[in-house]
Amino acid sequence: MDTYSLQWAISACDSLTSTQKLVGLMLALHIGKKSGRIRVSQELADNLLFCGEQDDLFELLGNLLDNAHKFAISEIHLQMQTTAEGLRICLSDDGPGVPEALRERILQRGVRADNSTGQGIGLGVCSEIVHSYHGTIEVAESELGGARFTIWLPARAS
């Protein structure tokens, strides 16, 4: 097994566990704020494969989950699955959503869709990570009424 294949196998083994730990960590970080009222549902495939640095996946999911906790009213839904083409992540919430005119702009560093405190760099970092793997990130309205972030990361880096 070459180094690339070995990293692929190691990342594939750790993705599910890391994601579950991160979801728990976000619940703990937001406890006392409103997380006690937020239901987080997950659909995580058993065979999650991510071809890349585990820290990048952790950073990407951490920023997305943190934003979802800040803006959700009562529900967050995380779906992750692996196909032959790559890893698909879909994170939805029932918060206020993102106005269509801002959906592309909020993926830039320093741009915020609201007036809350913060630097506005989290989604910019997400976008940079996704693009560094030649993936895509899309912001839309979720089936829950808030925002939906859909990320696709290819199975093999180009």
Side-chain angles (χ1 to χ4, degrees):
M1 183 180 286
D2 63 16
T3 305
Y4 186 81
S5 298
L6 180 60
Q7 180 179 352
W8 175 263
I10 290 170
S11 293
C13 293
D14 293 340
S15 295
L16 180 60
T17 303
S18 293
T19 300
Q20 290 170 328
K21 286 181 182 176
L22 186 58
V23 168
L25 176 63
M26 284 298 139
L27 283 170
L29 283 174
H30 289 274
I31 205 139
K33 296 177 184 174
K34 62 179 179 179
S35 285
R37 299 186 321 249
I38 296 178
R39 181 177 150 259
V40 179
S41 60
Q42 303 171 61
E43 289 180 52
L44 307 177
D46 292 333
N47 64 338
L48 291 179
L49 300 173
F50 173 62
C51 182
E53 295 292 324
Q54 206 63 19
D55 288 346
D56 288 342
L57 183 62
F58 198 79
E59 180 82 16
L60 175 65
L61 289 173
N63 281 320
L64 291 172
L65 285 165
D66 188 47
N67 276 351
H69 277 277
K70 288 176 184 173
F71 295 104
I73 297 166
S74 64
E75 190 171 1
I76 296 170
H77 185 71
L78 173 63
Q79 295 175 295
M80 292 177 67
Q81 65 185 38
T82 302
T83 66
E85 292 79 33
L87 176 65
R88 181 177 178 274
I89 302 167
C90 186
L91 184 68
S92 301
D93 66 55
D94 65 347
V98 179
E100 194 169 345
L102 288 176
R103 291 179 183 167
E104 290 292 320
R105 289 194 55 231
I106 63 166
L107 298 174
Q108 300 169 12
R109 282 184 186 249
V111 177
R112 301 189 55 83
D114 66 346
N115 295 333
S116 65
T117 60
Q119 302 291 323
I121 59 175
L123 291 176
V125 169
C126 289
S127 181
E128 290 169 12
I129 291 170
V130 168
H131 289 107
S132 76
Y133 287 99
H134 307 286
T136 60
I137 183 169
E138 178 183 292
V139 184
E141 185 177 333
S142 86
E143 63 284 355
L144 301 174
R148 180 182 69 226
F149 289 83
T150 304
I151 293 107
W152 176 78
L153 297 162
R156 298 276 183 186
S158 333

